[in-house]
Amino acid sequence: MIKIMCFVIGMIGTNCYLIEDEKSGELAVVDPADHSDQLLQEIDKRGGKLSFILLTHGHYDHIIGVAELCERYHPTVCASEKELMLISEPSYNLSKNHGITIKPFTVDRPLKDGDTVKLGESEFRFMLTPGHTMGSGCYIVDDSIFSGDTLFCTSVGRTDFPTSSMRDMMQSVSRLKNLEGDYDVYPGHDIFTTLDRERKYNPFMQ
């Protein structure tokens, strides 16, 4: 069982998730968008046992806070193996467009589609879902999907950026639609939703 806490941080209101494996107390952060006192305080309150940073993709508004967390807690950073170039290239991760300098960090575990990450007793499965970027992915654990900028409430992520592809996005959304059962969906921006709700109302899933 996991506990999920959401912090809306950064320049454009990115959903950053702090996830706790309730049995072990181990922690993971999904998409640390920027510095957040509240996030740091919550991690420290829970013993500072930050084991993983899970990146859904490499755009600046999802990775600015990675280096700070690495220096403070020394977690393992995970991201798609197809996203490494974008993470390190300012013109691709869009930081250059906004005049932002991102402190460098290392992706310790480049992930392939289907790879798993073990947080205490909880297992996260990485699903490669290109479209928003070529290495975008979702993390699936129990009945929850952390969908980054792939799937939103009644929408999907933009496909007009470097390495984006609407064709890939539609294939990725179809993969999500075809998952068995319902899931709570925790996107990179805006409100939470469920997979069944998106199957019914999201025009990109019709």
Side-chain angles (χ1 to χ4, degrees):
M1 294 290 291
I2 59 171
K3 181 174 183 178
I4 302 167
M5 294 150 274
C6 181
F7 302 82
V8 181
I9 58 180
M11 297 173 61
I12 57 175
T14 301
N15 292 334
C16 170
Y17 299 99
L18 177 63
I19 304 164
E20 181 180 35
D21 174 70
E22 293 191 298
K23 189 166 184 179
S24 68
E26 288 189 51
L27 303 170
V29 169
V30 177
D31 290 352
D34 208 336
H35 171 81
S36 167
D37 286 336
Q38 285 184 310
L39 174 62
L40 296 178
Q41 290 166 8
E42 197 65 45
I43 294 172
D44 290 341
K45 186 174 81 173
R46 296 173 184 278
K49 297 167 66 175
L50 183 63
S51 298
F52 294 99
I53 293 174
L54 306 176
L55 300 179
T56 62
H57 65 292
H59 281 156
Y60 78 98
D61 57 314
H62 291 253
I63 66 171
I64 293 175
V66 173
E68 179 184 27
L69 294 182
C70 288
E71 291 171 1
R72 185 164 175 146
Y73 303 107
H74 310 291
T76 298
V77 180
C78 303
S80 168
E81 64 178 2
K82 296 181 179 292
E83 201 72 347
L84 302 184
M85 179 272 293
L86 187 143
I87 287 172
S88 62
E89 174 50 58
S91 62
Y92 278 28
N93 65 36
L94 308 182
S95 59
K96 183 176 181 180
N97 305 48
H98 294 82
I100 297 166
T101 299
I102 297 175
K103 193 166 184 179
F105 60 88
T106 299
V107 174
D108 306 295
R109 280 194 59 188
L111 301 175
K112 296 181 173 67
D113 183 47
D115 281 351
T116 58
V117 177
K118 195 74 181 263
L119 180 73
E121 299 298 312
S122 302
E123 186 172 85
F124 291 73
R125 176 166 60 92
F126 178 73
M127 176 186 281
L128 183 65
T129 54
H132 184 62
T133 65
M134 68 183 295
S136 285
C138 300
Y139 294 90
I140 303 172
V141 55
D142 298 337
D143 59 355
S144 299
I145 299 174
F146 298 89
S147 62
D149 288 3
T150 296
L151 182 63
F152 296 127
C153 181
T154 67
S155 188
V156 296
R158 289 173 58 177
T159 57
D160 57 343
F161 295 128
T163 82
S164 294
S165 165
M166 177 54 78
R167 180 181 177 183
D168 288 348
M169 177 65 81
M170 295 308 296
Q171 291 175 345
S172 294
V173 169
S174 179
R175 285 191 70 195
L176 288 168
K177 177 182 178 179
N178 291 330
L179 289 171
E180 290 188 10
D182 193 17
Y183 291 84
D184 294 319
V185 178
Y186 297 92
H189 302 276
D190 302 323
I191 64 173
F192 310 152
T193 184
T194 68
L195 196 54
D196 273 353
R197 186 184 192 282
E198 297 314 300
R199 288 170 175 141
K200 186 173 182 180
Y201 297 110
N202 193 318
F204 295 93
M205 279 198 171
Q206 305 313 307

